[in-house]
Amino acid sequence: MRAGYDHPPRAARDARELGFRLKTIKVKHTTNGRTIAAYLFAEGELDASKVGRRLLPKKQRDAMIHAADDKCQICGVDHNLQVDHRIPYDVAGEPSPDEEHPYQVLCGSCNRKKAWDCEHCQNCLENKRSETCRSCYWAEPTAYSHVAMQQQRRVDVVWIGDEVKEFERLRRDAKRNKKSVADQIKTILTSR
């Protein structure tokens, strides 16, 4: 937190990308007692071949966010917006200057969902093929063939303002039918 991070796994990943060797250990959370990860510097020399991510200037990030209509390109919310590598840095590194649309705008929540899927994706873990990532939902949410190499289709929907009343009605119907909201939506769509 003192270094400006509020997401320790991201801080650990950034440190590793800069060549630091880290060891992950399990500890108990001081407030709730749950087991969580903690990171320690491991012995060994700094890997000088690693340089880490390039920091985009604020003016460039702000321009990218504005060009995306100041909304997350996955769910459409307009807060906590971040510029993200379309193809994970772990797979492709920094984009070349001539690459078209190497970044996308995501909210913090969608960026964490993407990071989770990518961290568990076979392509990111082993193959590291950029073309596989390019056909993934997390890189191209409007034109994709898989989600983290799994055959699935998804849509992220956010109800805002007056729309929340409709969502609450949908949630009540789902509860009455003993379904999740997502399953209730599927039932409505497939019963047409």
Side-chain angles (χ1 to χ4, degrees), residues 156-172:
D156 287 271
V157 182
V158 177
W159 285 261
I160 300 173
D162 291 338
E163 299 168 341
V164 170
K165 293 176 201 164
E166 275 302 307
F167 176 81
E168 293 304 328
R169 183 183 62 76
L170 187 60
R171 183 169 32 195
R172 281 191 305 275

Side-chain angles (χ1 to χ4, degrees), residues 36-61:
I36 60 172
Y39 306 95
L40 301 171
F41 287 104
E43 289 188 32
E45 290 188 28
L46 185 68
D47 184 346
S49 69
K50 296 191 174 185
V51 294
R53 297 166 190 249
R54 181 171 60 96
L55 183 62
L56 295 173
K58 182 179 180 347
K59 188 175 181 178
Q60 186 178 359
R61 287 193 320 265

Side-chain angles (χ1 to χ4, degrees), residues 2 12 16 30-31 36 42 49 56 80 82 85 89 91 93 95 101 112-113 128 133 137 144 150 159 163 165 187:
R2 289 181 296 256
R16 285 182 176 118
T30 55
T31 316
I36 60 172
S49 69
L56 295 173
N80 191 20
Q82 305 166 0
H85 287 83
Y89 177 84
V91 172
H101 307 296
R112 283 188 299 279
K113 289 177 194 173
K128 299 197 182 294
C133 292
Y137 171 78
Y144 63 96
Q150 300 296 315
W159 285 261
E163 299 168 341
K165 293 176 201 164
T187 299

Side-chain angles (χ1 to χ4, degrees), residues 31 48 67 89-90 99 114 117 121 133 145 154 156 158 180 182:
T31 316
Y89 177 84
D90 293 345
E99 188 173 333
K114 176 186 176 189
D117 271 357
C121 174
C133 292
S145 62
R154 59 179 297 158
D156 287 271
V158 177
S180 67

Side-chain angles (χ1 to χ4, degrees), residues 13 21 27 57 65-66 99-100 103 106 110 145 158 161 172:
R13 188 173 78 193
R21 299 181 195 289
V27 297
I65 290 169
H66 186 66
E99 188 173 333
E100 195 172 334
Y103 300 101
L106 301 180
C110 286
S145 62
V158 177
R172 281 191 305 275

